Amino acid sequence: DDLDACGGWVGVTPDSGGEPVYYYTLTDAPPFTMGCFGDASTYPVTVDQCRSLYDACQDEPVVIETVHGSGPFTLECPCWDSRGSNVEGQEGTPCFLASGGNCTGALSTSGGAGGRVVSRAMVGCLAAAAVLFV
């Protein structure tokens, strides 16, 4: 798991002429495809570096619900940590992801995620869109 916060890493690809390049892969975990822009000179892009590039990452998280559970999610923030969360202060894997029962909806910072709730229908659309890329 050498992917950075953008979902990229440095390595040799079939079309890189034997030279290491920064590239993105499809994964079964967020960000699924490309989360943010990186390159070989900035690898690995940290979650904090990624969050500093997007104003939306500073927004109050919403609570989303799926068949797996509910938890905080920051809309329009493409920066993901190794647990599959894009919320600053998330203590573990978000419960809205399929996590085998090992999840938390808790935030380690005050303020919480008591804001808007995103409907299951919307999350279903997001999940369906993600499947198209996997």
Side-chain angles (χ1 to χ4, degrees):
D1 278 296
D2 293 335
L3 294 179
D4 64 12
C6 294
W9 61 9
V10 173
V12 176
T13 66
D15 62 344
S16 69
E19 295 295 318
V21 295
Y22 184 89
Y23 67 97
Y24 304 94
T25 63
L26 296 176
T27 67
D28 62 353
F32 304 109
T33 60
M34 181 181 78
C36 55
F37 292 105
D39 62 36
S41 68
T42 60
Y43 178 81
V45 176
T46 67
V47 175
D48 288 339
Q49 287 171 321
C50 181
R51 290 179 64 81
S52 72
L53 299 173
Y54 300 92
D55 291 338
C57 292
Q58 311 312 315
D59 292 347
E60 187 71 23
V62 298
V63 176
I64 64 170
E65 298 176 15
T66 69
V67 296
H68 305 292
S70 64
F73 178 79
T74 305
L75 297 173
E76 307 297 329
C77 179
C79 307
W80 302 86
D81 65 23
S82 61
R83 295 176 305 272
S85 176
N86 76 340
V87 175
E88 188 172 20
Q90 175 80 30
E91 293 179 340
T93 302
C95 292
F96 58 81
L97 296 174
S99 60
N102 184 18
C103 67
T104 178
L107 293 173
S108 63
T109 58
S110 63
R116 299 171 287 161
V117 174
V118 178
S119 74
R120 290 174 195 232
M122 181 179 172
V123 172
C125 291
L126 293 172
V131 169
L132 293 174
F133 293 106
V134 175

